[in-house]
Protein backbone atom coordinates (compact mmCIF):
# COMPACT_ATOMS: atom_id res chain seq x y z
CA UNK A 1 0.00 0.00 0.00
CA UNK A 2 2.70 2.51 1.06
CA UNK A 3 4.55 1.93 -2.21
CA UNK A 4 1.57 2.84 -4.28
CA UNK A 5 1.07 6.12 -2.35
CA UNK A 6 4.76 7.02 -2.72
CA UNK A 7 4.66 6.60 -6.47
CA UNK A 8 1.44 8.55 -6.83
CA UNK A 9 2.49 11.57 -4.69
CA UNK A 10 4.55 13.45 -7.35
CA UNK A 11 1.75 12.99 -9.90
CA UNK A 12 -0.80 14.47 -7.53
CA UNK A 13 1.55 17.40 -6.84
CA UNK A 14 1.93 18.09 -10.60
CA UNK A 15 -1.83 17.93 -11.06
CA UNK A 16 -2.44 20.43 -8.21
CA UNK A 17 0.27 22.76 -9.54
CA UNK A 18 -1.08 22.77 -13.10
CA UNK A 19 -4.64 23.32 -11.95
CA UNK A 20 -3.55 26.23 -9.75
CA UNK A 21 -1.62 27.74 -12.71
CA UNK A 22 -4.66 27.54 -15.04
CA UNK A 23 -6.96 29.03 -12.39
CA UNK A 24 -4.41 31.79 -11.51
CA UNK A 25 -3.87 32.78 -15.15
CA UNK A 26 -7.62 33.03 -15.75
CA UNK A 27 -8.08 35.11 -12.58
CA UNK A 28 -5.26 37.57 -13.58
CA UNK A 29 -6.88 38.18 -16.97
CA UNK A 30 -10.17 38.77 -15.21
CA UNK A 31 -8.66 41.27 -12.74
CA UNK A 32 -7.01 43.22 -15.62
CA UNK A 33 -10.30 43.49 -17.49
CA UNK A 34 -12.03 44.54 -14.26
CA UNK A 35 -9.36 47.18 -13.43
CA UNK A 36 -9.79 48.81 -16.83
CA UNK A 37 -13.55 48.84 -16.19
CA UNK A 38 -14.26 46.56 -19.07
CA UNK A 39 -16.43 44.10 -17.03
CA UNK A 40 -19.79 44.56 -15.37
CA UNK A 41 -20.89 42.51 -12.32
CA UNK A 42 -22.72 39.88 -14.39
CA UNK A 43 -19.74 39.35 -16.77
CA UNK A 44 -17.41 39.02 -13.72
CA UNK A 45 -19.59 36.27 -12.16
CA UNK A 46 -19.83 34.43 -15.51
CA UNK A 47 -16.04 34.66 -16.06
CA UNK A 48 -15.23 33.37 -12.49
CA UNK A 49 -17.63 30.45 -12.91
CA UNK A 50 -16.09 29.62 -16.32
CA UNK A 51 -12.54 29.67 -14.92
CA UNK A 52 -13.56 27.44 -11.97
CA UNK A 53 -15.33 24.98 -14.30
CA UNK A 54 -12.37 24.82 -16.71
CA UNK A 55 -9.91 24.23 -13.84
CA UNK A 56 -12.04 21.40 -12.40
CA UNK A 57 -12.42 19.84 -15.89
CA UNK A 58 -8.63 20.03 -16.41
CA UNK A 59 -7.96 18.44 -13.01
CA UNK A 60 -10.37 15.55 -13.65
CA UNK A 61 -9.12 14.92 -17.22
CA UNK A 62 -5.51 14.69 -16.07
CA UNK A 63 -6.46 12.42 -13.17
CA UNK A 64 -8.33 10.01 -15.45
CA UNK A 65 -5.45 9.97 -17.96
CA UNK A 66 -2.89 9.20 -15.25
CA UNK A 67 -5.03 6.73 -13.29
CA UNK A 68 -7.61 4.99 -15.54
CA UNK A 69 -10.68 3.33 -14.06
CA UNK A 70 -10.20 -0.32 -13.16
CA UNK A 71 -11.24 -2.87 -15.85
CA UNK A 72 -14.54 -4.34 -14.60
CA UNK A 73 -13.70 -7.68 -16.26
CA UNK A 74 -10.52 -8.05 -14.27
CA UNK A 75 -10.65 -9.73 -10.91
CA UNK A 76 -8.14 -7.50 -9.21
CA UNK A 77 -8.45 -4.33 -11.25
CA UNK A 78 -4.91 -3.22 -10.44
CA UNK A 79 -2.91 -3.57 -13.59
CA UNK A 80 -4.65 -3.30 -16.96
CA UNK A 81 -1.78 -5.07 -18.85
CA UNK A 82 -1.77 -8.07 -16.55
CA UNK A 83 -5.55 -8.35 -16.48
CA UNK A 84 -5.65 -8.12 -20.29
CA UNK A 85 -3.20 -10.98 -20.75
CA UNK A 86 -4.94 -13.07 -18.10
CA UNK A 87 -8.25 -12.50 -19.94
CA UNK A 88 -6.58 -13.69 -23.16
CA UNK A 89 -5.18 -16.74 -21.40
CA UNK A 90 -8.66 -17.44 -20.04
CA UNK A 91 -10.15 -17.12 -23.55
CA UNK A 92 -7.52 -19.47 -24.99
CA UNK A 93 -8.16 -22.00 -22.26
CA UNK A 94 -11.92 -21.83 -22.85
CA UNK A 95 -11.58 -22.45 -26.57
CA UNK A 96 -9.03 -25.28 -26.30
CA UNK A 97 -10.66 -28.49 -27.50
CA UNK A 98 -8.52 -30.52 -25.07
CA UNK A 99 -9.59 -30.99 -21.44
CA UNK A 100 -7.38 -28.84 -19.16
CA UNK A 101 -7.74 -28.53 -15.38
CA UNK A 102 -5.94 -26.69 -12.61
CA UNK A 103 -6.00 -28.59 -9.34
CA UNK A 104 -5.28 -26.87 -6.04
CA UNK A 105 -5.12 -27.59 -2.36
CA UNK A 106 -6.24 -31.10 -1.35
CA UNK A 107 -7.00 -32.02 -4.97
CA UNK A 108 -9.78 -29.44 -5.39
CA UNK A 109 -10.50 -28.47 -9.01
CA UNK A 110 -9.88 -24.73 -9.25
CA UNK A 111 -10.23 -24.29 -13.03
CA UNK A 112 -11.74 -26.62 -15.63
CA UNK A 113 -12.17 -25.52 -19.25
CA UNK A 114 -15.41 -26.45 -21.11
CA UNK A 115 -13.72 -29.44 -22.78
CA UNK A 116 -12.73 -30.78 -19.35
CA UNK A 117 -16.23 -30.14 -17.99
CA UNK A 118 -17.74 -32.10 -20.84
CA UNK A 119 -15.15 -34.88 -20.70
CA UNK A 120 -15.51 -35.44 -16.95
CA UNK A 121 -19.22 -34.57 -16.79
CA UNK A 122 -18.62 -31.76 -14.27
CA UNK A 123 -21.58 -29.76 -12.95
CA UNK A 124 -21.55 -25.99 -12.26
CA UNK A 125 -19.88 -26.58 -8.86
CA UNK A 126 -16.55 -28.34 -9.19
CA UNK A 127 -15.42 -30.43 -6.26
CA UNK A 128 -12.46 -32.71 -5.77
CA UNK A 129 -10.73 -34.37 -8.68
CA UNK A 130 -11.00 -37.77 -6.97
CA UNK A 131 -14.82 -37.56 -7.07
CA UNK A 132 -14.89 -37.31 -10.88
CA UNK A 133 -11.75 -39.18 -11.93
CA UNK A 134 -11.29 -42.44 -10.07
CA UNK A 135 -7.89 -43.25 -11.52
CA UNK A 136 -5.39 -43.88 -8.69
CA UNK A 137 -2.35 -43.38 -10.94
CA UNK A 138 -3.57 -39.97 -12.14
CA UNK A 139 -4.47 -38.90 -8.58
CA UNK A 140 -1.01 -39.96 -7.38
CA UNK A 141 0.62 -37.96 -10.18
CA UNK A 142 -1.49 -34.92 -9.27
CA UNK A 143 -0.53 -35.09 -5.60
CA UNK A 144 3.17 -35.41 -6.58
CA UNK A 145 2.78 -32.30 -8.79
CA UNK A 146 1.13 -30.46 -5.86
CA UNK A 147 4.37 -31.13 -3.95
CA UNK A 148 6.31 -29.60 -6.88
CA UNK A 149 7.54 -32.85 -8.42
CA UNK A 150 7.72 -33.38 -12.20
CA UNK A 151 5.80 -36.51 -13.24
CA UNK A 152 5.63 -38.79 -16.26
CA UNK A 153 2.41 -38.95 -18.37
CA UNK A 154 -0.06 -41.56 -17.12
CA UNK A 155 -2.25 -43.74 -19.37
CA UNK A 156 -5.58 -45.15 -18.32
CA UNK A 157 -8.50 -46.94 -20.00
CA UNK A 158 -12.21 -47.14 -19.27
CA UNK A 159 -14.57 -49.72 -20.68
CA UNK A 160 -17.87 -48.09 -19.59
CA UNK A 161 -20.04 -46.24 -20.49
CA UNK A 162 -18.02 -46.30 -23.72
CA UNK A 163 -14.55 -47.66 -24.29
CA UNK A 164 -11.98 -44.88 -24.01
CA UNK A 165 -8.21 -44.61 -23.68
CA UNK A 166 -6.70 -41.47 -22.18
CA UNK A 167 -3.17 -40.17 -21.62
CA UNK A 168 -2.97 -37.73 -18.70
CA UNK A 169 -0.18 -35.13 -18.65
CA UNK A 170 0.40 -33.69 -15.18
CA UNK A 171 2.74 -30.78 -14.39
CA UNK A 172 3.44 -28.69 -11.27
CA UNK A 173 2.61 -24.99 -11.68
CA UNK A 174 4.27 -22.51 -9.28
CA UNK A 175 1.85 -20.38 -7.22
CA UNK A 176 4.24 -18.14 -5.18
CA UNK A 177 1.39 -15.85 -4.03
CA UNK A 178 0.17 -18.68 -1.76
CA UNK A 179 2.97 -19.61 0.70
CA UNK A 180 0.79 -22.31 2.29
CA UNK A 181 0.54 -24.19 -1.02
CA UNK A 182 3.20 -22.93 -3.45
CA UNK A 183 2.27 -25.51 -6.15
CA UNK A 184 -0.83 -26.23 -8.21
CA UNK A 185 -1.13 -29.20 -10.59
CA UNK A 186 -2.05 -28.71 -14.22
CA UNK A 187 -3.78 -31.75 -15.72
CA UNK A 188 -4.22 -32.16 -19.49
CA UNK A 189 -6.25 -35.16 -20.69
CA UNK A 190 -5.55 -36.40 -24.19
CA UNK A 191 -8.22 -38.75 -25.59
CA UNK A 192 -6.33 -41.39 -27.56
CA UNK A 193 -9.27 -43.72 -28.17
CA UNK A 194 -9.29 -43.32 -31.95
CA UNK A 195 -5.49 -43.80 -32.19
CA UNK A 196 -5.71 -46.96 -30.07
CA UNK A 197 -8.66 -48.22 -32.11
CA UNK A 198 -6.77 -47.64 -35.39
CA UNK A 199 -3.71 -49.44 -33.96
CA UNK A 200 -5.85 -52.36 -32.90
CA UNK A 201 -7.60 -52.51 -36.27
CA UNK A 202 -4.23 -52.57 -38.03
CA UNK A 203 -2.97 -55.33 -35.72
CA UNK A 204 -6.24 -57.30 -36.11
CA UNK A 205 -6.05 -56.91 -39.87
CA UNK A 206 -2.49 -58.25 -40.00
CA UNK A 207 -3.37 -61.12 -37.64
CA UNK A 208 -6.48 -61.99 -39.70
CA UNK A 209 -4.68 -61.74 -43.03
CA UNK A 210 -1.82 -63.97 -41.87
CA UNK A 211 -4.24 -66.42 -40.26
CA UNK A 212 -6.27 -66.65 -43.49
CA UNK A 213 -3.10 -67.33 -45.48
CA UNK A 214 -1.56 -69.66 -42.92
CA UNK A 215 -4.44 -72.15 -43.02
CA UNK A 216 -4.23 -73.02 -46.75
CA UNK A 217 -0.42 -72.90 -46.58
CA UNK A 218 -0.35 -75.39 -43.69
CA UNK A 219 -2.70 -77.67 -45.58
CA UNK A 220 -0.51 -77.43 -48.71
CA UNK A 221 2.60 -78.33 -46.69
CA UNK A 222 0.74 -81.32 -45.17
CA UNK A 223 -0.31 -82.67 -48.56
CA UNK A 224 3.17 -82.26 -50.04
CA UNK A 225 4.54 -84.23 -47.10
CA UNK A 226 1.95 -87.00 -47.67
CA UNK A 227 2.66 -87.11 -51.40
CA UNK A 228 6.35 -87.55 -50.70
CA UNK A 229 5.60 -90.27 -48.16
CA UNK A 230 3.02 -93.04 -48.20
CA UNK A 231 0.88 -91.60 -51.07
CA UNK A 232 3.90 -91.61 -53.40
CA UNK A 233 2.85 -94.75 -55.19
CA UNK A 234 -0.94 -94.31 -54.89
CA UNK A 235 -2.21 -92.57 -58.07
CA UNK A 236 -5.80 -92.22 -56.76
CA UNK A 237 -4.71 -90.51 -53.53
CA UNK A 238 -2.27 -88.35 -55.47
CA UNK A 239 -5.02 -87.06 -57.80
CA UNK A 240 -7.35 -86.39 -54.87
CA UNK A 241 -4.66 -84.54 -52.92
CA UNK A 242 -3.57 -82.53 -55.96
CA UNK A 243 -7.17 -81.39 -56.52
CA UNK A 244 -7.39 -80.20 -52.87
CA UNK A 245 -4.02 -78.49 -53.20
CA UNK A 246 -5.25 -76.72 -56.32
CA UNK A 247 -8.32 -75.45 -54.39
CA UNK A 248 -6.10 -74.19 -51.58
CA UNK A 249 -3.80 -72.30 -53.94
CA UNK A 250 -6.85 -70.82 -55.65
CA UNK A 251 -8.14 -69.72 -52.25
CA UNK A 252 -4.83 -68.05 -51.44
CA UNK A 253 -4.92 -66.37 -54.81
CA UNK A 254 -8.46 -65.07 -54.14
CA UNK A 255 -7.40 -63.82 -50.75
CA UNK A 256 -4.38 -61.99 -52.10
CA UNK A 257 -6.41 -60.52 -54.97
CA UNK A 258 -9.09 -59.30 -52.53
CA UNK A 259 -6.48 -57.86 -50.15
CA UNK A 260 -4.77 -56.01 -53.00
CA UNK A 261 -8.11 -54.79 -54.29
CA UNK A 262 -9.14 -53.58 -50.82
CA UNK A 263 -5.89 -51.72 -50.27
CA UNK A 264 -6.15 -50.10 -53.75
CA UNK A 265 -9.71 -48.98 -53.08
CA UNK A 266 -8.81 -47.66 -49.64
CA UNK A 267 -5.86 -45.74 -51.02
CA UNK A 268 -7.94 -43.59 -53.35
CA UNK A 269 -11.19 -43.58 -51.38
CA UNK A 270 -10.83 -39.82 -50.78
CA UNK A 271 -10.50 -39.05 -54.52
CA UNK A 272 -13.97 -38.99 -56.08
CA UNK A 273 -14.17 -40.62 -59.53
CA UNK A 274 -14.56 -38.30 -62.50
CA UNK A 275 -15.54 -40.69 -65.30
CA UNK A 276 -18.86 -42.31 -66.16
CA UNK A 277 -19.85 -45.96 -66.27
CA UNK A 278 -22.66 -47.59 -68.24
CA UNK A 279 -24.27 -49.73 -65.55
CA UNK A 280 -26.47 -51.79 -67.91
CA UNK A 281 -23.34 -52.83 -69.84
CA UNK A 282 -21.60 -53.70 -66.54
CA UNK A 283 -24.52 -55.95 -65.55
CA UNK A 284 -24.32 -57.73 -68.94
CA UNK A 285 -20.56 -58.31 -68.45
CA UNK A 286 -21.02 -59.66 -64.92
CA UNK A 287 -23.74 -62.07 -66.06
CA UNK A 288 -21.46 -63.29 -68.87
CA UNK A 289 -18.54 -63.92 -66.51
CA UNK A 290 -20.72 -65.72 -63.94
CA UNK A 291 -22.62 -67.84 -66.47
CA UNK A 292 -20.69 -71.04 -65.58
CA UNK A 293 -21.54 -70.66 -61.85
CA UNK A 294 -25.16 -69.83 -62.67
CA UNK A 295 -25.40 -72.94 -64.83
CA UNK A 296 -23.57 -75.12 -62.29
CA UNK A 297 -26.15 -74.30 -59.58
CA UNK A 298 -29.09 -74.16 -62.03
CA UNK A 299 -29.89 -70.63 -60.81
CA UNK A 300 -32.79 -68.89 -62.51
CA UNK A 301 -31.49 -65.36 -63.15
CA UNK A 302 -34.00 -62.56 -63.77
CA UNK A 303 -32.49 -59.31 -65.03
CA UNK A 304 -34.54 -56.15 -65.17
CA UNK A 305 -32.24 -53.29 -66.17
CA UNK A 306 -33.03 -49.92 -67.65
CA UNK A 307 -30.28 -47.88 -69.34
CA UNK A 308 -28.42 -45.95 -66.66
CA UNK A 309 -25.05 -44.21 -66.46
CA UNK A 310 -23.30 -43.57 -63.14
CA UNK A 311 -20.60 -41.12 -62.18
CA UNK A 312 -17.82 -43.59 -61.54
CA UNK A 313 -14.99 -45.84 -62.48
CA UNK A 314 -16.10 -48.77 -64.60
CA UNK A 315 -13.70 -51.38 -63.20
CA UNK A 316 -14.58 -50.61 -59.60
CA UNK A 317 -18.33 -50.60 -60.27
CA UNK A 318 -17.97 -53.91 -62.11
CA UNK A 319 -16.29 -55.30 -58.97
CA UNK A 320 -19.25 -54.09 -56.87
CA UNK A 321 -21.86 -55.79 -59.06
CA UNK A 322 -19.67 -58.90 -59.42
CA UNK A 323 -19.30 -59.31 -55.64
CA UNK A 324 -23.03 -58.88 -54.98
CA UNK A 325 -24.20 -61.25 -57.74
CA UNK A 326 -21.51 -63.81 -56.90
CA UNK A 327 -22.65 -63.77 -53.25
CA UNK A 328 -26.30 -64.16 -54.30
CA UNK A 329 -25.33 -67.27 -56.27
CA UNK A 330 -22.95 -68.62 -53.59
CA UNK A 331 -25.43 -68.28 -50.72
CA UNK A 332 -28.49 -69.61 -52.62
CA UNK A 333 -29.71 -73.15 -52.86
CA UNK A 334 -29.40 -74.84 -56.25
CA UNK A 335 -32.33 -74.14 -58.52
CA UNK A 336 -33.43 -70.94 -56.75
CA UNK A 337 -34.03 -67.53 -58.31
CA UNK A 338 -31.72 -64.52 -58.26
CA UNK A 339 -33.17 -61.16 -59.36
CA UNK A 340 -31.08 -58.26 -60.60
CA UNK A 341 -32.65 -54.83 -60.98
CA UNK A 342 -31.25 -51.57 -62.29
CA UNK A 343 -33.37 -48.43 -62.15
CA UNK A 344 -32.45 -44.77 -62.47
CA UNK A 345 -33.68 -41.18 -62.00
CA UNK A 346 -34.45 -41.86 -58.33
CA UNK A 347 -34.44 -39.24 -55.59
CA UNK A 348 -32.35 -40.03 -52.55
CA UNK A 349 -35.48 -41.13 -50.65
CA UNK A 350 -36.59 -43.42 -53.46
CA UNK A 351 -33.10 -44.89 -53.78
CA UNK A 352 -32.92 -45.61 -50.05
CA UNK A 353 -36.33 -47.26 -49.97
CA UNK A 354 -36.27 -51.04 -50.53
CA UNK A 355 -37.04 -51.83 -54.17
CA UNK A 356 -37.21 -55.62 -54.22
CA UNK A 357 -39.18 -55.95 -51.02
CA UNK A 358 -38.84 -59.03 -48.82
CA UNK A 359 -41.80 -58.22 -46.57
CA UNK A 360 -42.46 -56.30 -43.36
CA UNK A 361 -40.70 -58.86 -41.17
CA UNK A 362 -37.35 -58.30 -42.94
CA UNK A 363 -34.52 -56.45 -41.17
CA UNK A 364 -32.91 -53.56 -42.98
CA UNK A 365 -29.63 -51.76 -42.47
CA UNK A 366 -27.67 -49.02 -44.21
CA UNK A 367 -24.04 -50.16 -44.48
CA UNK A 368 -22.93 -46.90 -46.14
CA UNK A 369 -24.90 -43.68 -46.59
CA UNK A 370 -24.54 -41.33 -49.58
CA UNK A 371 -22.63 -38.13 -48.82
CA UNK A 372 -24.52 -34.83 -48.83
CA UNK A 373 -22.65 -33.58 -51.93
CA UNK A 374 -23.67 -36.66 -53.93
CA UNK A 375 -26.16 -34.86 -56.23
CA UNK A 376 -29.91 -35.24 -56.40
CA UNK A 377 -30.53 -38.15 -58.77
CA UNK A 378 -29.46 -41.73 -58.23
CA UNK A 379 -29.49 -45.07 -59.94
CA UNK A 380 -29.89 -48.24 -57.90
CA UNK A 381 -28.60 -51.76 -58.48
CA UNK A 382 -30.49 -54.32 -56.41
CA UNK A 383 -29.65 -57.99 -56.12
CA UNK A 384 -32.18 -60.31 -54.52
CA UNK A 385 -31.65 -63.95 -53.69
CA UNK A 386 -33.90 -66.60 -52.22
CA UNK A 387 -31.13 -67.98 -50.01
CA UNK A 388 -30.94 -68.72 -46.33
CA UNK A 389 -30.98 -65.04 -45.34
CA UNK A 390 -29.02 -63.36 -42.54
CA UNK A 391 -30.08 -62.92 -38.90
CA UNK A 392 -30.68 -59.29 -37.83
CA UNK A 393 -27.79 -59.40 -35.32
CA UNK A 394 -25.27 -60.21 -38.06
CA UNK A 395 -26.23 -57.35 -40.41
CA UNK A 396 -24.04 -54.60 -38.85
CA UNK A 397 -20.89 -56.77 -39.15
CA UNK A 398 -21.37 -57.71 -42.81
CA UNK A 399 -19.01 -55.10 -44.23
CA UNK A 400 -16.27 -55.82 -41.66
CA UNK A 401 -13.14 -57.33 -43.15
CA UNK A 402 -12.93 -61.12 -42.89
CA UNK A 403 -16.39 -61.36 -41.31
CA UNK A 404 -18.31 -64.46 -42.32
CA UNK A 405 -21.66 -65.46 -40.89
CA UNK A 406 -21.27 -68.66 -38.86
CA UNK A 407 -22.71 -71.74 -40.52
CA UNK A 408 -23.17 -69.95 -43.85
CA UNK A 409 -22.21 -72.32 -46.66
CA UNK A 410 -20.81 -70.81 -49.83
CA UNK A 411 -20.22 -74.01 -51.77
CA UNK A 412 -16.84 -75.54 -52.58
CA UNK A 413 -15.08 -72.16 -52.79
CA UNK A 414 -14.85 -70.74 -49.30
CA UNK A 415 -15.27 -66.97 -49.23
CA UNK A 416 -12.64 -64.51 -48.04
CA UNK A 417 -14.95 -62.28 -46.03
CA UNK A 418 -13.57 -59.27 -47.90
CA UNK A 419 -16.12 -58.87 -50.73
CA UNK A 420 -18.65 -56.67 -48.91
CA UNK A 421 -15.85 -54.57 -47.32
CA UNK A 422 -14.60 -53.86 -50.85
CA UNK A 423 -18.15 -52.98 -51.99
CA UNK A 424 -18.56 -50.56 -49.08
CA UNK A 425 -15.27 -48.76 -49.77
CA UNK A 426 -15.98 -48.44 -53.50
CA UNK A 427 -19.49 -47.12 -52.78
CA UNK A 428 -18.05 -44.62 -50.30
CA UNK A 429 -15.58 -43.41 -52.91
CA UNK A 430 -18.44 -42.98 -55.37
CA UNK A 431 -20.45 -40.94 -52.79
CA UNK A 432 -23.17 -43.58 -53.00
CA UNK A 433 -25.16 -45.71 -50.58
CA UNK A 434 -25.22 -49.41 -49.66
CA UNK A 435 -28.08 -51.17 -47.90
CA UNK A 436 -28.96 -54.74 -46.97
CA UNK A 437 -32.33 -56.25 -46.26
CA UNK A 438 -32.72 -59.82 -45.11
CA UNK A 439 -35.23 -62.28 -43.76
CA UNK A 440 -33.94 -65.66 -42.59
CA UNK A 441 -35.62 -68.40 -44.57
CA UNK A 442 -36.70 -66.01 -47.35
CA UNK A 443 -33.53 -64.39 -48.67
CA UNK A 444 -31.62 -61.13 -48.90
CA UNK A 445 -31.55 -57.98 -51.00
CA UNK A 446 -28.27 -56.06 -51.33
CA UNK A 447 -28.69 -52.59 -52.89
CA UNK A 448 -26.17 -50.07 -54.05
CA UNK A 449 -27.13 -46.62 -55.24
CA UNK A 450 -24.90 -44.15 -57.05
CA UNK A 451 -25.13 -40.57 -58.34
CA UNK A 452 -26.33 -40.46 -61.95
CA UNK A 453 -24.02 -38.86 -64.53
CA UNK A 454 -25.65 -35.46 -65.18
CA UNK A 455 -25.41 -35.23 -68.99
CA UNK A 456 -27.24 -38.58 -69.30
CA UNK A 457 -29.39 -38.39 -66.18
CA UNK A 458 -32.51 -39.29 -68.19
CA UNK A 459 -32.75 -42.69 -69.84
CA UNK A 460 -33.99 -41.10 -73.10
CA UNK A 461 -30.74 -39.18 -73.48
CA UNK A 462 -28.66 -42.32 -73.71
CA UNK A 463 -27.42 -43.26 -77.15
CA UNK A 464 -30.03 -45.58 -78.54
CA UNK A 465 -32.20 -45.11 -75.41
P1 LIG B 1 -17.29 -63.83 -48.66
O1 LIG B 1 -16.09 -63.86 -49.53
O2 LIG B 1 -17.14 -64.66 -47.42
O3 LIG B 1 -18.55 -64.08 -49.40
P2 LIG B 1 -18.30 -61.18 -48.25
O4 LIG B 1 -17.65 -60.01 -47.63
O5 LIG B 1 -18.78 -61.05 -49.63
O6 LIG B 1 -17.29 -62.36 -48.08
O7 LIG B 1 -19.53 -61.57 -47.35
C1 LIG B 1 -19.36 -61.62 -45.94
C2 LIG B 1 -20.33 -62.63 -45.34
O8 LIG B 1 -21.67 -62.16 -45.48
C3 LIG B 1 -20.32 -63.94 -46.07
O9 LIG B 1 -19.29 -64.77 -45.57
C4 LIG B 1 -21.69 -64.47 -45.77
O10 LIG B 1 -21.69 -65.10 -44.50
C5 LIG B 1 -22.54 -63.22 -45.69
N1 LIG B 1 -23.28 -62.97 -46.98
C6 LIG B 1 -22.89 -62.17 -47.97
N2 LIG B 1 -23.81 -62.15 -48.97
C7 LIG B 1 -24.80 -62.97 -48.58
C8 LIG B 1 -26.05 -63.36 -49.16
N3 LIG B 1 -26.45 -62.93 -50.35
N4 LIG B 1 -26.83 -64.20 -48.45
C9 LIG B 1 -26.46 -64.63 -47.24
N5 LIG B 1 -25.31 -64.30 -46.63
C10 LIG B 1 -24.47 -63.47 -47.29
Amino acid sequence: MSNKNDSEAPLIRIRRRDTAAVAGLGSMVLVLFWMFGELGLLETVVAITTIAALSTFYYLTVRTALNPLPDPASHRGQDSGASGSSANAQLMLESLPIPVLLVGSGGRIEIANPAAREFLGLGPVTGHLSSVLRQPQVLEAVSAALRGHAVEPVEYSMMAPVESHVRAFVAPVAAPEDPALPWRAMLVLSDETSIKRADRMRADFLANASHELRTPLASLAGFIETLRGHAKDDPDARDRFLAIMFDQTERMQRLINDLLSLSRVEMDEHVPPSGTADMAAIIDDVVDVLRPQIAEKSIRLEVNAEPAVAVGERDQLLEVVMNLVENAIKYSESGSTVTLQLCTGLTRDQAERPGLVLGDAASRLTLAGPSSEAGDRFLAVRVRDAGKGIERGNLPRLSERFYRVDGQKSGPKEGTGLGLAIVKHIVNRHRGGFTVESLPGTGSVFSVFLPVARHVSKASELPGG
Side-chain angles (χ1 to χ4, degrees):
M1 267 311 212
S2 61
N3 284 350
K4 192 171 179 255
N5 280 349
D6 289 351
S7 65
E8 271 192 353
L11 293 176
I12 289 170
R13 274 201 299 277
I14 292 167
R15 244 179 276 150
R16 283 201 193 116
R17 191 198 60 203
D18 288 356
T19 311
V22 170
L25 200 69
S27 307
M28 265 173 61
V29 174
L30 188 67
V31 168
L32 282 174
F33 273 106
W34 192 68
M35 274 172 62
F36 287 101
E38 291 288 321
L39 290 179
L41 186 64
L42 184 65
E43 286 95 336
T44 311
V45 171
V46 170
I48 290 172
T49 315
T50 309
I51 289 166
L54 280 174
S55 312
T56 312
F57 179 71
Y58 171 81
Y59 180 80
L60 289 177
T61 310
V62 174
R63 191 177 79 165
T64 313
L66 288 171
N67 191 13
L69 288 171
D71 176 3
S74 108
H75 292 297
R76 293 183 184 138
Q78 289 172 353
D79 178 340
S80 67
S83 68
S85 62
S86 97
N88 284 341
Q90 182 76 16
L91 260 175
M92 273 170 59
L93 193 68
E94 302 259 317
S95 40
L96 265 183
I98 323 157
V100 182
L101 298 111
L102 191 73
V103 181
S105 154
R108 206 173 53 78
I109 299 173
E110 289 185 353
I111 299 175
N113 71 347
R117 288 182 175 279
E118 195 190 327
F119 192 75
L120 296 174
L122 299 178
V125 183
T126 47
H128 283 80
L129 183 66
S130 57
S131 63
V132 286
L133 190 67
R134 294 193 181 88
Q135 297 297 331
Q137 281 174 294
V138 180
L139 298 176
E140 263 170 40
V142 167
S143 61
L146 286 173
R147 293 193 303 274
H149 300 309
V151 274
E152 291 289 312
V154 178
E155 278 185 46
Y156 68 88
S157 302
M158 288 183 302
M159 291 303 148
V162 282
E163 182 187 338
S164 55
H165 303 275
V166 180
R167 187 187 289 260
F169 297 88
V170 186
V173 178
E177 73 280 358
D178 184 356
L181 186 78
W183 296 100
R184 301 280 190 275
M186 187 170 80
L187 174 62
V188 180
L189 300 170
S190 162
D191 187 353
E192 299 190 344
T193 312
S194 47
I195 303 171
K196 285 265 185 261
R197 206 175 288 153
D199 280 352
R200 200 170 51 207
M201 273 172 68
R202 210 171 306 134
D204 284 355
F205 176 74
L206 275 176
N208 280 326
S210 24
H211 172 78
E212 296 284 336
L213 284 169
R214 205 182 310 134
T215 314
L217 263 179
S219 122
L220 274 183
F223 283 121
I224 291 170
E225 200 59 23
T226 317
L227 283 174
R228 288 159 101 195
H230 66 265
K232 196 160 51 177
D233 304 317
D234 180 349
D236 285 349
R238 202 176 49 210
D239 287 351
R240 216 161 4 102
F241 292 160
L242 282 174
I244 299 172
M245 287 167 74
F246 182 70
D247 284 350
Q248 297 293 355
T249 38
E250 262 201 326
R251 173 166 162 63
M252 282 198 290
Q253 230 163 21
R254 273 202 308 279
L255 201 64
I256 289 166
N257 286 344
D258 279 358
L259 281 171
L260 286 175
S261 176
L262 187 61
S263 90
R264 252 195 319 266
V265 173
E266 273 186 322
M267 239 169 354
D268 57 13
E269 194 172 333
H270 60 284
V271 187
S274 52
T276 57
D278 179 343
M279 293 306 289
I282 285 178
I283 287 180
D284 284 347
D285 290 351
V286 169
V287 172
D288 279 346
V289 173
L290 295 177
R291 221 171 271 290
Q293 293 174 41
I294 294 168
E296 199 181 319
K297 279 187 94 171
S298 313
I299 297 287
R300 224 168 68 85
L301 184 72
E302 287 175 4
V303 181
N304 182 5
E306 55 180 277
V309 176
V311 179
E313 202 179 301
R314 187 187 177 279
D315 290 352
Q316 286 196 339
L317 294 179
L318 187 125
E319 199 168 352
V320 165
V321 180
M322 182 75 80
N323 281 347
L324 296 183
V325 180
E326 208 174 7
N327 277 353
I329 299 167
K330 269 194 313 196
Y331 299 107
S332 287
E333 295 300 322
S334 293
S336 68
T337 303
V338 169
T339 309
L340 231 165
Q341 186 192 62
L342 167 64
C343 40
T344 188
L346 308 172
T347 62
R348 186 180 162 148
D349 269 2
Q350 290 167 332
E352 273 179 311
R353 237 177 277 148
L356 293 165
V357 193
L358 287 173
D360 289 344
S363 315
R364 207 165 174 279
L365 190 78
T366 298
L367 297 169
S371 78
S372 49
E373 78 254 34
D376 53 0
R377 282 288 178 268
F378 294 87
L379 59 84
V381 181
R382 298 188 168 107
V383 185
R384 177 185 167 152
D385 63 63
K388 217 174 150 195
I390 306 157
E391 295 287 343
R392 178 193 294 266
N394 291 321
L395 295 184
R397 301 199 59 194
L398 282 184
S399 56
E400 269 177 35
R401 295 154 185 192
F402 301 111
Y403 182 75
R404 277 162 289 194
V405 178
D406 275 347
Q408 195 83 267
K409 284 198 70 167
S410 60
K413 287 186 179 171
E414 197 192 339
T416 60
L418 292 171
L420 296 180
I422 294 173
V423 170
K424 182 177 157 173
H425 283 286
I426 294 178
V427 167
N428 276 340
R429 181 184 176 217
H430 284 73
R431 312 286 188 256
F434 181 25
T435 61
V436 54
E437 190 186 351
S438 196
L439 183 63
T442 302
S444 312
V445 181
F446 284 84
S447 305
V448 159
F449 50 98
L450 304 159
V452 170
R454 205 171 303 147
H455 61 287
V456 278
S457 59
K458 276 189 248 146
S460 56
E461 290 171 29
L462 274 171

